[in-house]
Amino acid sequence: MNNFEVAVIGGGAAGMMAAGTAAEKGLSVVLLEKNDLLGKKLSITGKGRCNITNAASVKKIIANLPRNGKFMTNAFFQFDSQAVVDFFQNRDLITKVERGGRVFPQSDNARDVVKNLHKFLRKNKVNILHQKVIATEKQADLFSLKLADKSMIKVKNLIIATGGISYPGTGSTGDGFAFARNFGHKIISLKPALVPIETNKIKPLKNVPNSRAQNITQLQGLTLKNVRIKIFDQKEKKVFEDFGEMLFTHFGVSGPIILSASSHLQKIKDHILEIDLKPALDERQLDKRLLRDLQKFSRRNFKNILKGLLPKQMIPIIIGIAGIPANKKAAEITKAERFSLHQALKKLRLNLIKFRSFNEAIITSGGVDISQIEPKTMESKLVSNLFFAGEILDVDGYTGGYNLQIAWSSGFAAGKSCR
């Protein structure tokens, strides 16, 4: 039997930060990770580049957490995004800031972030065991952890930082939720978040006789930049809006603004996605632009004047939605047809079907009920010396480094609070 003052279950971002922080206090710490490597999920985040945090104020970061952002206020002020940057740069990992305040390692290599955390753990003499924890319980003042090799560890402080159930191939299989329930904690229902969305065909325009539905697979691989999306529920109430980049796939839609929508919405059945391909132009400005092109290229076929307005892949889709013959001469386009084209460009609509699975989700939404957690320390209100950190908590954010900031700050607060 091994005795330590602190055990951390989970060797991801939150777990490594928690373990190293507790050890810096002079406490004996064991970090338990069932994978052969620490930071397995961290090493693939941001397409392998690792968006460490966001160079924004605490207030702005909280505004980008659609679930329970205010819960993180105290932890963020203890260890904010500048503290994260300083943490890594003081350990010789140079960072850079990109569009939207996203902070990356200058090397663009997520493995450098993991190596940096390894050094942090080694310097503070954290004991690392690559063992799966089978069961947890508390007797008197000590937690007992039963491991897969049948050995036992006893500790005074236990930090559970096992992540969610997204990307299960990285080891996020929900073990921590079972441990939390065992200690009496409520788990808020789990759903995939920051995840692509399945759709069906692009809808035809109403009151346009020749408008035809279009198969979305024709757009597979097409990225749209600087577009605006709106999502409406079955009662046509707008429930989400964003501006930025999106991507068409063989099953539907993905990309930054779609992933953010998936985190914002709890359900999408019977919801409609509306895409404005020309958000910088209002109806009058768009009509002026179209009239100018139609007059300038009056002898050309209609399909050929759209080349300066749309990506090549999108042109047949818009022609079909607008219901205008592709080979009709530009000079023959009527006012009514121009209006149909406006609608196709400004209000391209698709029915949303469902979120993709946890296998494709970047994070898990839901988790340990934050009403049972002390926000300053991440300690359980039900069991003393029991702490939670990272994705296991019912807190999540949009893309842009916000979720890793949750991991760093909650891990820091938990590690700092061990005694």
Side-chain angles (χ1 to χ4, degrees):
M1 184 182 294
N2 296 304
N3 283 28
F4 297 91
E5 291 169 290
V6 181
V8 181
I9 309 176
M16 286 190 281
M17 179 59 74
T21 302
E24 269 189 324
K25 296 178 61 176
L27 299 172
S28 60
V29 179
V30 60
L31 175 60
L32 297 147
E33 169 55 56
K34 64 184 179 183
N35 288 320
D36 292 336
L37 299 170
L38 296 179
K40 194 169 181 181
K41 184 176 178 181
L42 186 60
S43 67
I44 63 171
T45 60
K47 297 178 181 177
R49 296 177 62 220
C50 193
N51 184 183
I52 298 168
T53 185
N54 192 286
S57 66
V58 167
K59 183 178 180 181
K60 185 175 178 182
I61 290 175
I62 289 170
N64 280 277
L65 309 187
R67 284 188 67 81
N68 300 320
K70 289 182 180 179
F71 169 78
M72 291 299 302
T73 303
N74 198 298
F76 282 160
F77 276 112
Q78 290 180 60
F79 199 71
D80 63 10
S81 61
Q82 186 57 53
V84 172
V85 170
D86 292 343
F87 172 88
F88 285 107
Q89 296 207 147
N90 290 341
R91 291 167 175 80
D92 302 320
L93 183 77
I94 307 304
T95 62
K96 60 182 178 179
V97 181
E98 297 188 359
R99 176 182 54 84
R102 292 166 167 83
V103 179
F104 290 89
Q106 195 172 69
S107 65
D108 286 326
N109 191 338
R111 294 188 185 279
D112 290 340
V113 178
V114 178
K115 288 176 185 176
N116 197 276
L117 289 163
H118 265 280
K119 285 198 297 185
F120 175 53
L121 298 174
R122 285 197 303 270
K123 182 181 177 183
N124 291 292
K125 297 179 172 58
V126 173
N127 296 274
I128 300 169
L129 285 181
H130 291 284
Q131 281 284 331
K132 180 180 174 66
V133 178
I134 302 298
T136 59
E137 64 175 353
K138 189 176 187 184
Q139 295 175 335
D141 292 332
L142 293 178
F143 293 93
S144 296
L145 309 181
K146 183 180 178 182
L147 308 186
D149 66 357
K150 298 184 180 178
S151 63
M152 187 81 73
I153 288 177
K154 289 205 171 184
V155 292
K156 182 182 178 184
N157 300 275
L158 175 61
I159 302 173
I160 300 177
T162 49
I165 53 176
S166 58
Y167 284 148
T170 63
S172 299
T173 52
D175 303 352
F177 299 121
F179 300 152
R181 286 191 186 98
N182 187 50
F183 288 117
H185 278 272
K186 179 182 177 183
I187 305 300
I188 304 301
S189 60
L190 309 174
K191 83 169 190 70
L194 296 183
V195 66
I197 299 175
E198 291 186 19
T199 68
N200 61 9
K201 292 183 178 181
I202 299 172
K203 294 163 67 71
L205 296 173
K206 291 181 179 179
N207 304 317
V208 177
N210 296 320
S211 181
R212 302 180 304 279
Q214 301 293 306
N215 193 332
I216 197 168
T217 57
Q218 297 176 68
L219 297 175
Q220 181 178 345
L222 176 64
T223 296
L224 298 177
K225 296 183 178 181
N226 302 318
V227 296
R228 182 170 298 281
I229 64 166
K230 297 177 183 177
I231 295 179
F232 299 89
D233 65 15
Q234 54 268 51
K235 296 180 180 178
E236 286 288 333
K237 177 185 175 183
K238 185 176 72 176
V239 293
F240 182 80
E241 182 174 356
D242 203 358
F243 173 87
E245 183 177 317
M246 64 171 288
L247 166 73
F248 288 99
T249 69
H250 66 285
F251 56 76
V253 287
S254 187
I257 55 178
I258 298 298
L259 299 183
S260 290
S262 75
S263 280
H264 183 84
L265 302 169
Q266 290 303 299
K267 58 181 181 179
I268 55 169
K269 187 179 179 183
D270 299 322
H271 284 48
I272 293 170
L273 169 66
E274 183 177 280
I275 307 169
D276 183 349
L277 298 170
K278 296 295 172 184
L281 303 176
D282 61 23
E283 294 283 347
R284 184 185 62 80
Q285 292 168 326
L286 181 57
D287 192 48
K288 189 176 179 181
R289 162 76 188 272
L290 291 173
L291 273 171
R292 186 184 71 215
D293 288 354
L294 290 169
Q295 290 166 1
K296 184 178 180 179
F297 306 112
S298 60
R299 295 183 180 181
R300 292 187 184 179
N301 290 341
F302 170 62
K303 65 181 180 182
N304 293 326
I305 71 160
L306 296 178
K307 291 178 181 178
L309 200 63
L310 292 166
K312 183 178 179 181
Q313 217 170 330
M314 181 65 76
I315 290 174
I317 298 290
I318 293 300
I319 288 172
I321 294 294
I324 302 170
N327 294 322
K328 190 171 186 176
K329 296 299 180 185
E332 298 171 359
I333 301 297
T334 66
K335 184 177 180 180
E337 287 172 328
R338 271 199 341 264
F339 179 75
S340 297
L341 182 56
H342 293 173
Q343 297 297 100
L345 292 169
K346 300 286 286 183
K347 296 182 178 181
L348 196 68
R349 287 191 147 205
L350 304 88
N351 286 324
L352 301 181
I353 299 174
K354 65 178 181 179
F355 299 115
R356 295 289 278 183
S357 73
F358 281 106
N359 290 331
E360 297 177 51
I362 296 174
I363 61 166
T364 302
S365 182
V368 175
D369 187 348
I370 51 122
S371 70
Q372 298 175 333
I373 306 292
E374 292 287 353
K376 183 178 180 180
T377 61
M378 299 296 143
E379 185 174 8
S380 166
K381 293 179 180 179
L382 309 181
V383 181
S384 61
N385 296 90
L386 173 65
F387 303 85
F388 295 92
E391 195 179 342
I392 193 171
L393 294 164
D394 182 26
V395 185
D396 57 77
Y398 297 135
T399 58
Y402 303 111
N403 290 291
L404 270 179
Q405 183 63 49
I406 294 170
W408 308 131
S409 296
S410 60
F412 178 84
K416 180 184 173 184
S417 302
C418 291
R419 49 199 182 268

